[in-house]
Amino acid sequence: MSGQLLESKLRLPAPHRDLVPRARLTERLDRGLDSRLTLLSAPAGFGKTTLLAAWLRAGSGRAPDARWVAWLSLDHDDDEPVQFWAAVIAALAVITPDFGSREAELLRGSQPPPLRAVLTGLLNDLATVDRDVLLVLDDYHAIESLEIHESMAFLVDHLPPRIHVVIATRADPALPLARLRARGELTELRGADLRFTSVEVSAYLTQAMGLTMAAELTAALTGRTEGWIAALQLAVLSMQGRDDVAGFVRAFSGNDRYVVDYLVEEVLQNQPEAVRTFLLETSVLGRMTGPLCDAVTEVSGGAATLETLERANLFLVPLDDARRAYRYHQLFADVLQARLLDERPERIPGLHRRASEWYARHDDSTAAITHALAAGDPGPAADLIERAIPALRGDRRESTLRIWLERLPADLVRVRPVLSVGYAGALIAIGQVDGVEPRLRDAERYLHGGQDVATPSEEAPARAPVVVDREEFARLPAAIAVYRAGLALTLGDTARTVAQATRALELAQPDDHVRRGAAAALLGLSAWGDGNLETAYEAYVECSSNLLRAGYVADVLGCATTLADIRITQGRLHEAMHVYERALQLASARAVPVTRGTPDLHVGLSSIHAERGDLRRADEHLRRAREAGEHAGMPRYRYRSLVTEAFIREGEGDVVGALALLDAAEQDYVADFAPDVRPIASARVRLWLRLGRVDDALVWAREQHLSPDDDLDYLHEYDHVTLARCLLAQQQRAPDASSAALELLHRLLAAAESGGRTGTVIEVLILLAVARRSSGDVPGAVLALDRALSLAEPEGYFRLFADEGSSLEALLRLAARRTAPRTVQRLLRSISRADGNPVRPGSNDPMEQLSDREREVLRLLKTDLSGPEIARRLVVSLNTVRTHTKNIYAKLGVTSRRAAVLLAGEPERAQSRTNAPPRSF
């Protein structure tokens, strides 16, 4: 949709010159603001739009500066979910110029997320608005899509208190009206309410139209038209110039449909032939300007004719304050189009053809293509579409391209290789793999057979390809290889992905930076999925470099997110931070700062600060991501922002809130070519374990068919680490779980080390420390923790340790004497704050947590004395000894006598072992 057309649909209709105050209706509209939904449902021509516009201009029951009005005039082009909600979001831009642009960015993506996910974000934004907002949807009867009706019902059901929806329609919408009515959340104005009373008809005739009519004639006209304002307007037009007005009114009869037919016929027949022809021929236009009308009708003076029609009240609606652009009242346009089809059908293709040509000359390719298709001219339409493909690809409008191509004859597309390849790319972009390979073969047969290439103006030899954009045609071999690589990646065929992407690089021209960048990205994605991180990183650097040369800066920012993800997996947080920061500098350094993609960069920075335990800065970057999203749309993967926010909330101790955010993130997740190496479901299980929901976690593991004996690979590494956590959580009731967890952790450690995935290495070492301590191997636990701290401290890791809580506390006290003392002290303070226990500076000895009596019991536990013997030695009961023993285990974070004894002696032994050879892992 062109920007001008969209702008006209968002404009509150100009006030009618024949406007009559209708206080009885505006008062009902005012009262309706206390409900969720106001519905104006009546047949065409009942004045719904005029009434709403007048009410809103008068303030709609509120001071004008106390509320925002978001107006949207709908038509059949909006009967598609993405288009509909994009238009609604554009209407809401009255709140702030870029309100809802994060959701709009999601809708423009090649694979838009579920509508409910987009609407959830939009509702969250609306909940922050500090004024009343009226969302007005005019002509809602143009919408027939069940998906739109369902999403509208969801929106209405979840409206924040200050938001109100107004719908004007010719037929009741497929919304839960009965439920809303029962709850008192629906205000209705129907045809019977909107009909003009005799008093209002009299006011209309005298005040608006300057006609004086006897009361009995006014009553008769009211009765004949049943208060239908459209019929009244047409009747007044027909009465103009008549001597016998009374006779006209008395003779006027029939039901609504026949009345309209009769009056329109009267109006059209009473117009000069030139005006009548103008009305019929311009009815094919959704938006009219003087020059456009001149081109379509092939008669000059279009601007003057439009002004004359407006003055004559011939159902013309101005679309701008300067009154240069207009549209017909929809009812009038419908009748005009029906008359045109009936009287002059042979003229229709030519009218659309000339409209298409005019729009093409004025660089509005969308309108030009729309009219070319309406003209039934597949050849010119195909020419226009072919020229538009590069722009459509750059704007990620593959869905629009697919719709247009499917309106062309299949045989025509097959002989146009640029269109065939564009169709294949559009299918891949929206996740439809069926049909991709046949389209590529259609194009490929013209690339290797040596056929002559014809242009549309030439007489094409049999089976010769038709090409408009020869530059795009020359690049098809590389494009075909790129799309085959993408298709293979979608189907999980890594070897073929690499082969085709490599071929694309061989075929791509040196200056074809888009295809070279795409091929490099596909090679990077293949390597990433296989766990070859350094290879993936280098490929994405190459991709980013090519895209920057092509001028695709927003896509370069997307590459930065991938590059940082890889560095984070490698445990290189400093480098990941620099990747994000350099990308932000690139975005802001352009003559026109690039905003699309910048929210993701701030989300990434937020996640790093959160891992480093700096929740204040993490929140700050998340806030900046939201602000950037208001200008450019939410992050490319909106779910990432929710996952990061969940991580922050977890760090603040709000595990339940974190779970809710993960649930929302899962709804927003949209799969694409990138490997999902950190599934949200697995992250949720980790939170369940923090809440003690071990059984739920084990159910998840079974449903995922996870086993400690699985073959390990990078794509499932995060899940297998989560499985190890599940096994550790159940070791008290399942003794075999501990040994299974240890064995799995050792295998995970070896795999992560060989792949250079230091981030995973650190986490696995921490879990090994916990597992070894629980099994009584305290020296081995401390050694594992020492190594984890040595790897983590230079990069600033914090949360990986802190989130383990008290299970790591005793080991940290031991490790503080040898490794990363400042980091350990910070971790101990964090853990103690979470447990509500103060920490004394420099307190590293776990023995200092014990009472004098507990120390005495621990000293005896080091001997060979049994429990009863210790009780007799201390002159206490056996139950008292057992109570002291439980307290000792809890404070030292152990589960056995042997582990407690080893830990109690560990500080001295650890000191003596500082220079010993490291234990093998």
Side-chain angles (χ1 to χ4, degrees), residues 487-556:
L487 179 61
L489 186 65
T490 301
L491 298 174
D493 189 343
T494 302
R496 182 167 171 78
T497 301
V498 172
Q500 288 295 328
T502 302
R503 176 171 171 76
L505 288 174
E506 295 169 352
L507 295 172
Q509 301 170 7
D511 63 345
D512 190 357
H513 301 303
V514 174
R515 275 79 176 190
R516 300 188 74 85
L522 288 163
L523 288 172
L525 288 166
S526 297
W528 189 10
D530 285 343
N532 299 321
L533 300 187
E534 201 57 39
T535 300
Y537 189 89
E538 292 170 0
Y540 255 88
V541 168
E542 180 65 21
C543 169
S544 181
S545 176
N546 274 287
L547 292 178
L548 187 59
R549 293 190 192 99
Y552 284 33
V553 177
D555 293 296
V556 173

Side-chain angles (χ1 to χ4, degrees), residues 46 195-202 205 213-229 231-232 235 239 248-257 259 263:
F46 269 72
R195 296 182 192 280
F196 271 47
T197 64
S198 291
V199 173
E200 290 169 336
V201 169
S202 178
L205 294 173
M213 188 177 291
E216 63 274 15
L217 289 179
T218 300
L221 185 59
T222 303
R224 296 286 194 271
T225 61
E226 298 185 26
W228 189 7
I229 183 58
L232 285 168
M239 282 189 290
F248 171 82
V249 172
R250 283 191 293 268
F252 185 71
S253 64
N255 61 41
D256 290 345
R257 180 167 61 86
V259 167
L263 290 177

Side-chain angles (χ1 to χ4, degrees), residues 438-517:
R439 302 289 79 74
L440 296 178
R441 289 177 182 169
D442 285 342
E444 200 168 35
R445 62 180 176 166
Y446 294 115
L447 301 182
H448 308 302
Q451 296 96 335
D452 292 331
V453 174
T455 62
S457 61
E458 299 172 347
E459 184 67 30
R463 299 182 59 82
V466 178
V467 174
V468 174
D469 189 338
R470 291 178 177 268
E471 183 177 344
E472 193 74 6
F473 177 76
R475 292 175 172 171
L476 288 187
I480 290 171
V482 165
Y483 289 138
R484 282 200 170 120
L487 179 61
L489 186 65
T490 301
L491 298 174
D493 189 343
T494 302
R496 182 167 171 78
T497 301
V498 172
Q500 288 295 328
T502 302
R503 176 171 171 76
L505 288 174
E506 295 169 352
L507 295 172
Q509 301 170 7
D511 63 345
D512 190 357
H513 301 303
V514 174
R515 275 79 176 190
R516 300 188 74 85

